[in-house]
Amino acid sequence: MIKYFTLLLILFLVICAKAQNNISVNAETALVELAKSTLKAHGGEKLSKAKTMVLRGSADITAPGTNQTLPASFALVIAGEKYRFDIQSAFFNFLQVCDGINTSSSMPGVTLPPMNLVGLSILPKIEEAGFIISNLPEKLKKKKGFRVTSPEGFYSDFIIDEKTFLVKEYESSYEFNGNLITTSVAINRYKEIDGVLVTEKYSQRLDFGSLTAYATFNAKNILINSEVTEDVFTIK
């Protein structure tokens, strides 16, 4: 009798383990499918194969420690792993570039998020080796979405519109000089350019530890697959 109940217990535990494993596999598959649907909604293969993306427009910047909004213009150029982000205003100018390996900033000690490793730039990389798709953190568990972590350990939490599968907002984290910096982006409007959905208007918050900066960007000129010269990705 004891052997009989022991065998039943072992069988029950095996069945539970297999069921749990199936649930985990199904949940992981659902996350991957959600990520793929999100990529497709943003342009799919056309987005993945886009060689360059250029956005130019206006920006309203609120510097850390102030309540004053400063008008500015901005330009963002992305070409694979290379990017250039430029802000020009009557009060200050800022430039950050990445040549695909090294990142340089016009302001010593100030580095914005690595745009090739966080945010919408990593959507086309979800099937590449080293990029991990996982559940949103506990604080976002009630929202529909997923997290993508790059091989370098940078993560982006994407919140998805349930009907369109477009990214409504995302939060990313990165480390600079030992300090953890987070950025949150809320996307207000997209524009379709050659089959690719590009952020036309969005708001961003940057937390530099004890300081927080805010900005709103409105792209007025958007180009896909335009020619970009290599000197764009250097600080002269």
Side-chain angles (χ1 to χ4, degrees), residues 48 50-52 77-84 97-103 114-118 121-125 128 131 150-152 154 230 233:
S48 299
K51 295 180 179 179
T52 64
V77 181
I78 300 175
E81 297 302 312
K82 303 175 183 179
Y83 67 83
R84 176 189 180 99
V97 298
C98 176
D99 61 8
I101 299 175
N102 301 306
T103 300
M115 298 178 188
N116 57 334
L117 294 173
V118 300
S121 294
I122 65 173
L123 273 183
K125 303 177 182 179
E128 292 183 14
F131 286 85
S150 74
E152 294 80 5
F154 300 121
E230 286 299 315
F233 306 107

Side-chain angles (χ1 to χ4, degrees), residues 19 35 48 59 72 76 97 121 141 156 178 201 216 234:
S48 299
L76 172 61
V97 298
S121 294
K141 68 177 183 178
S156 295
K201 186 175 182 180
T216 299
T234 59

